[in-house]
Amino acid sequence: MPEDSTKPVRLIALMNQKGGVGKTTTTVNLAAAIARSGRKTLVVDLDPQAHASLHLGVDADALGSSVYDVLIDPSADVRAAIRPVSDMLHVLPAQTDLAAAETELADAPDRQRRLERALASLGETYEFILLDCPPSLGLLTVNALTAAREVIIPMQAHFLALQGVGKLLETVRLISKGVNPRLRVTGIVLCMHDPSSTHTREVVGDLEAFFEAARAQETPWRFARVLRPAIRRNIKLAECPSFGKTIFDYAPDAPGAADYGALAEVLVKEWDALLQRRAEAPVVVVPAPSVQARASM
Ligand code: ADP
Ligand code: MG
């Protein structure tokens, strides 16, 4: 690695202030798929409803410590709150008391950076960290956006969902102008997707046109795209949380497993390619003009 000898971590916030769009389903099953491809992966449950924890079979209210303790007490040991789901997949769970964290932290000067600090203390233990955000733009989501390098937006391709994306991007822009200039929107995951609907196809077309038009401007979503494959509506995905299982343990042959598996493959491949490019990048102290010209292309 040129400047940075530590192993990089791909830290992604799955964010949408609307509830019921597929954030938790995507966080849990995408993380499980990435872990199955051999990458050490951590899910951080930032929703007081603790759905991601339950989905991963962790009864958060029976736990000693959780993400709440980590946010409230900067000296708390993050590792003590993390629970293994499998060898490669771990979870930093939530409990219902997490709702209180927003008010308890309201006056803390470093309140936006609590999660970032906690995750930094994990060093390179995990290659992928996925943050399941609550359905709001409050302090918990702000902590996620401050800690993350990337934002993935799970959503359904409905006209009204499209309106919410503007507000969401504005929040990302504010965070990137303030505490986290490196934050980028990677793209949208289409959840509960029905490709046969004309309306759905129109909305996806609008989203793609929006991102294309944004390519010329310096925004955090300049390189964003509609990620493929879309996640089809699949009843097995709705069933598996109540068994505390990911789709890969509950119904490995279901379309939901195929879709999240394929999406994980795309993300892992692009990550490997990025690391490869970084590893091969020549360390040029004083670049020759021709190299400079090429680098700025
Ligand atoms: P959020 O975290 O954004 O509130 P969830 O991931 O909890 O959304 O999803 C909302 C509901 O939709 C849940 O009951 C979930 O099981 C269901 N669901 C999510 N994705 C799918 C899908 N692809 N097919 C069918 N049901 C889905
Ligand atoms: Mg959720």
Side-chain angles (χ1 to χ4, degrees):
M1 233 37 68
E3 317 128 70
D4 177 3
S5 63
T6 58
K7 216 168 118 195
V9 179
R10 190 162 186 187
L11 223 160
I12 307 172
L14 288 102
M15 173 212 181
N16 191 330
Q17 74 276 22
K18 202 165 145 44
V21 293
K23 288 184 292 296
T24 301
T25 307
T26 299
T27 307
V28 165
N29 293 301
L30 190 58
I34 293 168
R36 283 164 58 89
S37 76
R39 314 305 167 105
K40 195 123 194 186
T41 304
L42 177 70
V43 166
V44 180
D45 189 351
L46 284 168
D47 188 344
Q49 297 176 94
H51 286 166
S53 309
L54 289 168
H55 198 158
L56 288 165
V58 174
D59 180 4
D61 281 325
L63 296 172
S65 61
S66 68
V67 71
Y68 168 83
D69 303 274
V70 166
L71 293 174
I72 291 298
D73 176 9
S75 68
D77 178 8
V78 192
R79 288 173 204 271
I82 291 175
R83 299 291 181 283
V85 177
S86 67
D87 251 11
M88 301 309 273
L89 180 62
H90 292 181
V91 58
L92 174 53
Q95 291 174 303
T96 43
D97 62 1
L98 182 58
E102 300 238 358
T103 40
E104 285 172 40
L105 284 176
D107 295 326
D110 64 341
R111 60 188 176 278
Q112 296 190 328
R113 293 202 183 270
R114 292 287 176 104
L115 183 68
E116 181 189 30
R117 297 236 171 86
L119 296 180
S121 77
L122 293 171
E124 50 190 72
T125 310
Y126 299 97
E127 187 171 355
F128 284 78
I129 302 181
L130 272 59
L131 312 175
D132 185 27
C133 291
S136 74
L137 297 175
L139 187 55
L140 291 165
T141 296
V142 167
N143 261 273
L145 295 180
T146 305
R149 285 294 304 274
E150 295 175 54
V151 176
I152 286 182
I153 305 164
M155 65 173 275
Q156 282 174 269
H158 289 163
F159 172 65
L160 287 175
L162 211 55
Q163 293 186 320
V165 172
K167 179 142 193 240
L168 193 161
L169 293 178
E170 211 34 63
T171 305
V172 172
R173 193 210 298 266
L174 282 175
I175 299 284
S176 78
K177 285 214 178 299
V179 285
N180 188 4
R182 300 196 303 174
L183 187 64
R184 296 286 173 270
V185 179
T186 299
I188 283 176
V189 177
L190 298 164
C191 295
M192 293 172 253
H193 196 61
D194 174 12
S196 66
S197 138
T198 315
H199 175 62
T200 296
R201 284 203 302 273
E202 279 170 11
V203 172
V204 174
D206 286 352
L207 282 168
E208 282 173 335
F210 171 80
F211 286 139
E212 274 313 311
R215 300 268 181 258
Q217 292 135 36
E218 207 38 76
T219 62
W221 51 92
R222 186 174 182 185
F223 301 109
R225 64 198 198 272
V226 178
L227 296 161
R228 308 283 177 189
I231 312 300
R232 288 165 284 177
R233 185 176 285 281
N234 175 212
I235 188 67
K236 296 286 180 200
L237 283 169
E239 287 169 7
C240 59
S242 57
F243 295 91
K245 288 181 173 175
T246 72
I247 192 71
F248 301 98
D249 291 325
Y250 177 70
D253 298 325
D259 292 345
Y260 279 115
L263 183 60
E265 204 182 315
V266 169
L267 294 177
V268 168
K269 268 197 185 145
E270 104 190 340
W271 177 242
D272 285 347
L274 179 78
L275 295 187
Q276 186 69 27
R277 283 201 301 279
R278 281 182 59 176
E280 285 167 4
V283 185
V284 183
V285 181
V286 185
S290 61
V291 175
Q292 265 176 334
R294 263 206 308 274
S296 62
M297 266 159 46

